[in-house]
Amino acid sequence: MNVTARRGKLLALKFAAIQLACTGLAALVFLMSSGWNAARSAVAGGLIIALGTLVFAWRLFATDWPAASAARGFYAGELLKWVWVIGAFALALTRGGMEPLPLLIGLLAAQSGFWVAMGIFK
């Protein structure tokens, strides 16, 4: 693994950690206001997004860095991320017994964490 790929994967882990921290705050609010199942739903939503970030980074940094290879890694990573996010969200709603609003708020909290991380890790 080259240095760029190693740094990219480490950066993705940092982004996911910030996303999970934001998810934890949302889950804490739901735990205090609506109970355990709402908090669990918010955590599930945040995990979906954070794992999507890691799936994207895993695929992106699995390639070498010539331009064509990097572009294929980017597109494949983005496609895999969205397949994961849509599939996991659908499963959480249909089979997981998650509450829809906390699940969505958890998703949004984690995505907000991504934007916060972009400001922190330039």
Side-chain angles (χ1 to χ4, degrees), residues 77-98:
E78 195 67 24
L79 176 68
L80 286 173
K81 179 182 83 171
W82 281 106
V83 166
W84 159 253
V85 168
I86 292 168
F89 187 72
L91 282 174
L93 283 175
T94 58
R95 305 266 191 239
M98 303 293 165

Side-chain angles (χ1 to χ4, degrees), residues 20-35 38-40 42-43:
L20 292 175
C22 291
T23 300
L25 291 174
L28 185 60
V29 168
F30 276 110
L31 181 63
M32 293 187 307
S33 65
S34 301
R40 183 176 68 100
V43 168

Side-chain angles (χ1 to χ4, degrees), residues 9-55:
K9 288 181 179 182
L10 180 61
L11 186 61
L13 287 173
K14 290 177 182 179
F15 270 59
I18 298 291
Q19 288 177 307
L20 292 175
C22 291
T23 300
L25 291 174
L28 185 60
V29 168
F30 276 110
L31 181 63
M32 293 187 307
S33 65
S34 301
W36 172 250
N37 195 43
R40 183 176 68 100
S41 298
V43 168
L47 280 173
I48 289 170
I49 294 297
L51 288 174
T53 298
L54 294 176
V55 165

